[in-house]
Every structure is written in structure tokens, then in C-alpha cells.
Amino acid sequence: SITSNGGDSTIAVSVTATCVLTKPNPYNPKSGQKLKFFGSGVVPNDTKIRIFTVSGKPVKTLTESQGLNEIEWDGKNEDGDEVVNGIYLFVSESPAEKSHGKFTVVKK
């Protein structure tokens, strides 16, 4: 919100959109691929992604510690068990942003 004192001026505003996305989505752990979290919101060595079920139960916490701009997930929970089919939510935190998203796990 900008309030003028009656003057007339142009102000340049720069906005940088950041985001964290997943691929492939839907994700099939049996495909041999890992799910990748990527985008400008993933800061090398300084990003944490927490994965939850839709009911809010924690599934897995991932951190980027290899200097990469993406984080991979093998489809397993903290106990090392493969997750079941369904929709999962994630929260990402980095110096660039705090955001959330969702993805689907489908085993064929």
C-alpha cells in the first residue's frame, strides 16, 4: 500500500518469485526414480523439507547438505518403510522462502 501526499512519482518495484516444486508428480517409488524437490526455493546447504500425510502425521524430514539445488526422496518414511498410495503435503524452509505444496504417490 502506497499513500501519496499529493505528489506524482513513479516507483519501480521488483518482485522475485520463489518456489519449490516436485517431479515426477504423481510419483511411483517402484519406478526406480526418486522424487525431486526443486526450484528457486531450494538453497544449497540450507533447505529443510518436511513431508506429512494429509492428516498431518510426519512422514520424513529431508535436508539439502550436498551443495545442490534439489533434494531427492526415495519414498520411504523415517523408519525406512515405503509409504502407501495417497496425497502427501510438504513444507519447505530456506533463507529464500517458507512454502508448502502437495504431491501424489501412486504405485502401479
Side-chain angles (χ1 to χ4, degrees):
S1 174
I2 299 174
T3 303
S4 172
N5 63 359
D8 185 341
S9 182
T10 300
I11 299 171
V13 177
S14 176
V15 177
T16 302
T18 59
C19 63
V20 174
L21 303 169
T22 59
K23 69 179 176 182
N25 191 5
Y27 169 58
N28 180 357
K30 301 215 179 276
S31 71
Q33 298 182 54
K34 292 185 177 181
L35 180 73
K36 293 184 183 186
F37 295 87
F38 69 99
S40 57
V42 177
V43 175
N45 298 311
D46 205 1
T47 301
K48 180 191 300 185
I49 294 181
R50 293 178 291 139
I51 301 170
F52 301 90
T53 63
V54 289
S55 64
K57 180 180 177 186
V59 174
K60 182 83 173 184
T61 297
L62 308 167
T63 57
E64 202 307 294
S65 59
Q66 299 178 351
L68 304 174
N69 60 359
E70 66 183 24
I71 299 174
E72 293 184 333
W73 180 53
D74 60 4
K76 295 180 181 175
N77 63 21
E78 293 290 359
D79 295 327
D81 299 322
E82 201 171 83
V83 299
V84 298
N85 288 344
I87 297 173
Y88 291 83
L89 309 174
F90 70 89
V91 175
S92 69
E93 296 177 47
S94 75
E97 73 172 10
K98 291 182 181 178
S99 68
H100 61 277
K102 64 183 175 180
F103 61 91
T104 304
V105 172
V106 178
K107 299 178 203 177
K108 297 178 184 177

